């Protein structure tokens, strides 16, 4: 797990976001935009995942686009991310785009460590996710969803 940090390292508000190389190319603009829109001082921890479909999928599922199936490694990724949240004087938020957005939603069903989640275009089409939501209790009420224009 590679960690990249942005913003104010001493801030009490911490956004953790799983990313890949494509996300990293625009992360500084993202941090600047969040700061401008919210006027909030925060620290961002970008957690680079090695294999998007393995590391962010909550359970195994067949390929939906292309030929790469989903391997269900999200629990291991969440364990690694939770190791970054040991300072109880800070508020931690989890966020992500696409499959990382689904991961962020799934994470707030699995743990109450995060104060909230931000899911931009989350992959809620993921096989079985609707049933998961119906059969589990979310542990945080602060959730931001950006579902696009369709």
């Amino acid at each position: 797990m590679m960690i990249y940090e942005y913003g104010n390292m001493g801030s009490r508000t911490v956004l953790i976001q799983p990313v890949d190389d494509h996300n990293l190319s625009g992360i500084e603009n993202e941090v600047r935009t969040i700061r401008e829109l919210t006027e909030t001082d925060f620290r961002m921890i970008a957690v680079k995942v090695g294999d998007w479909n393995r590391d962010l999928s909550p359970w195994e599922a067949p390929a939906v686009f292309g030929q790469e199936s989903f391997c269900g490694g999200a629990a291991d990724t969440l364990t690694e991310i939770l190791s970054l949240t040991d300072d109880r004087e800070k508020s931690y938020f989890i966020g992500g785009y696409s499959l990382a957005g689904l991961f962020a939603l799934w994470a707030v069903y699995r743990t109450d460590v995060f104060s909230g989640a931000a899911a931009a275009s989350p992959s809620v089409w993921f096989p079985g996710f609707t049933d998961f939501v119906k059969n589990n209790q979310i542990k945080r009420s602060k959730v931001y969803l950006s579902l696009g224009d369709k």
Side-chain angles (χ1 to χ4, degrees):
M1 173 168 73
M2 296 284 297
I3 304 294
Y4 300 87
E5 298 189 60
Y6 304 88
N8 179 354
M9 299 304 131
S11 178
R12 294 176 59 99
T13 302
V14 181
L15 171 60
I16 300 175
Q17 180 175 326
V19 298
D20 63 6
D21 287 327
H22 174 74
N23 300 126
L24 282 172
S25 67
I27 201 94
E28 289 181 13
N29 287 334
E30 179 182 339
V31 170
R32 184 173 39 258
T33 300
I34 293 170
R35 185 171 288 124
E36 289 170 0
L37 292 175
T38 66
E39 298 180 2
T40 300
D41 185 37
F42 71 100
R43 171 184 174 196
M44 175 183 272
I45 300 174
V47 178
K48 185 176 179 207
V49 297
D51 182 325
W52 199 253
N53 284 7
R54 179 193 67 217
D55 297 336
L56 299 176
S57 57
W59 45 80
E60 291 183 15
V64 176
F65 307 107
Q67 297 187 19
E68 188 179 344
S69 61
F70 299 94
C71 301
D76 292 336
T77 302
L78 181 58
T79 297
E80 291 182 38
I81 286 175
L82 289 175
S83 72
L84 304 172
T85 64
D86 58 351
D87 186 345
R88 295 296 169 222
E89 294 188 16
K90 297 186 185 234
S91 295
Y92 296 94
F93 294 83
I94 183 106
Y97 172 76
S98 189
L99 192 57
L102 178 88
F103 174 84
L105 285 176
W106 173 82
V108 293
Y109 277 89
R110 303 287 298 184
T111 181
D112 64 358
V113 167
F114 302 108
S115 297
S121 297
S123 301
V124 293
W125 51 259
F126 191 83
F129 192 70
T130 301
D131 290 334
F132 173 80
V133 168
K134 289 177 183 177
N135 295 310
N136 290 277
Q137 184 68 37
I138 195 165
K139 299 185 186 308
R140 286 294 179 229
S141 61
K142 292 180 183 176
V143 175
Y144 171 82
L145 294 173
S146 172
L147 299 176
D149 58 4
K150 293 190 176 193

